[in-house]
Amino acid sequence: MKPAPAPAMYWSRAVTYGSTVPPALRAHTGVVLHGIMYIFGGTDKQGDFGSLYTFELDTFTWNKPEIRGDMPPKCRAHSAVVDEQSNKIYIFGGGDGPNYFNHLFMFDANTFTWIRLHPSGQAPSPRRAHVSVIWSQRLYIFGGGDGIRALNDVHVYDIRNNTWSAIETYGVKPEQRGYHTGTLVGDRLVVYGGSDGHTCFGDVHVLDLASHHWHPVAVEPPVSRLSHASVCVGSYLFVTGGHDGSRYCNELLMLNFVTMAWESRRIYGHPPTPRGYHSLVLYDSRLFIFGGYDGKHFFDDVFVLDLSSHAYLPQVTNFAIELP
């Protein structure tokens, strides 16, 4: 095999360790906190799961830690987001087949304890396939579906005050959708893709979390995706996998936040097979993919994309998304 030039981005399937590994899953969540990826929930052809697994990203080692407290029920298509200040993970919503949830659980990574929260105020309606982010000690929820229709509402949970509230937004809202991605970039939520059950979207919308104003962003050409995964890397949105309305994909998409245009790079190695409903995290200049589904097969593999600064320069770390 011809070696990749240095530096370059490079895909590889990870050799993992540990005696307790998660099953092949889709519609689970994966988040990273202090070098550990936490995988929770998901489903396979037999049913849903309610277990939590950890993956040490430096040693590639799986564990299933002993957990205490009031554990969430089995679920899929929920959301998970990290509050790094307190070492806590918040799980909202999801479902177990015909049932849709709107419960909120907090996992304390200091004590490995689950706590079910009972906030006051107006909670979001039960849903799954939504997105969530934390900004300024507030947990924002956008979109999803309730089994009857897709949604495009915004709710916020105030972590300090333990209260829910519905948010009135301004500007042009995204169409109702689920299985989109929502990525925090500074003080803005970037929503990309998704589906309303009929159309696979390729649009990009930005919600200014300070003003609650929506801004549609013209990105040409539009690239349709649902059940994909995304992370912010410097001034780029890295998007992996998903379904384009016709087939499952495995290419890496890069949205340049400075030019608001899609870019492509040559990547070496062996990429993941086409899939959606997987998880994606960024840690130490690497992207980690776990699991997913390609319409026939569920996956339990881990793929690693080693990033090279030269592969996506100019790497702008001090930038802002320009909005009208």
Side-chain angles (χ1 to χ4, degrees):
M1 179 184 298
K2 184 179 179 181
M9 291 196 288
Y10 193 91
W11 277 118
S12 60
R13 179 171 177 171
V15 176
T16 64
Y17 306 91
S19 59
T20 306
V21 301
L25 293 172
R26 72 174 178 95
H28 55 285
T29 51
V31 295
V32 62
L33 182 60
H34 302 311
I36 296 177
M37 180 171 66
Y38 293 82
I39 298 295
F40 175 74
T43 188
D44 66 7
K45 61 183 178 180
Q46 302 298 326
D48 300 313
F49 293 88
S51 299
L52 184 140
Y53 295 84
T54 62
F55 184 69
E56 296 178 9
L57 296 170
D58 288 315
T59 64
F60 290 13
T61 303
W62 284 110
N63 291 285
K64 188 179 182 183
E66 183 176 345
I67 305 296
R68 299 180 295 173
D70 189 4
M71 297 183 63
K74 298 177 180 180
C75 64
R76 66 178 185 263
H78 50 288
S79 65
V81 65
V82 166
D83 179 8
E84 293 185 350
Q85 294 183 15
S86 61
N87 290 339
K88 293 174 181 177
I89 300 170
Y90 291 86
I91 300 284
F92 172 76
D96 65 354
N99 300 308
Y100 288 70
F101 305 141
N102 67 342
H103 51 224
L104 180 64
F105 284 82
M106 183 267 289
F107 177 76
D108 189 332
N110 300 297
T111 61
F112 281 74
T113 302
W114 281 110
I115 298 172
R116 179 166 184 175
L117 302 174
H118 297 279
S120 60
Q122 181 183 350
S125 59
R127 67 190 62 202
R128 61 190 188 208
H130 52 283
V131 296
S132 64
V133 297
I134 287 181
W135 175 75
S136 189
Q137 288 298 288
R138 295 179 177 91
L139 170 63
Y140 289 83
I141 303 290
F142 169 71
D146 63 7
I148 299 174
R149 65 190 185 282
L151 306 167
N152 66 346
D153 50 352
V154 179
H155 294 259
V156 63
Y157 169 68
D158 189 309
I159 294 174
R160 296 187 184 94
N161 298 322
N162 192 33
T163 58
W164 277 116
S165 58
I167 295 297
E168 181 181 0
T169 60
Y170 308 93
V172 181
K173 293 182 180 181
E175 294 180 65
Q176 294 91 338
R177 66 191 62 203
Y179 292 113
H180 47 296
T181 53
T183 309
L184 184 67
V185 183
D187 59 356
R188 288 161 180 173
L189 169 63
V190 177
V191 171
Y192 166 56
S195 174
D196 61 0
H198 304 284
T199 302
C200 181
F201 298 118
D203 51 358
V204 176
H205 297 261
V206 176
L207 176 63
D208 187 321
L209 297 175
S211 66
H212 298 159
H213 197 284
W214 282 108
H215 299 268
V217 179
V219 178
E220 295 295 337
V223 180
S224 299
R225 285 291 187 277
L226 68 91
S227 73
H228 51 292
S230 68
V231 297
C232 180
V233 182
S235 57
Y236 285 86
L237 183 72
F238 277 50
V239 178
T240 63
H243 197 281
D244 67 3
S246 299
R247 62 181 180 87
Y248 285 93
C249 309
N250 68 341
E251 57 259 55
L252 175 75
L253 304 175
M254 297 170 59
L255 177 62
N256 187 327
F257 285 133
V258 176
T259 64
M260 279 300 174
W262 292 109
E263 298 182 4
S264 60
R265 296 288 188 277
R266 185 174 180 181
I267 304 176
Y268 295 83
H270 298 283
T273 55
R275 68 189 64 195
Y277 308 100
H278 52 290
S279 58
L280 173 71
V281 301
L282 169 67
Y283 173 71
D284 194 24
S285 300
R286 290 172 164 177
L287 298 185
F288 291 81
I289 284 177
F290 169 70
Y293 178 67
D294 67 0
K296 294 182 179 179
H297 306 101
F298 295 81
F299 299 106
D300 61 357
D301 46 13
V302 176
F303 279 85
V304 180
L305 178 64
D306 283 285
L307 302 176
S308 161
S309 60
H310 289 268
Y312 53 93
L313 282 175
Q315 179 59 52
V316 182
T317 57
N318 184 18
F319 75 100
I321 298 176
E322 297 297 331
L323 297 174

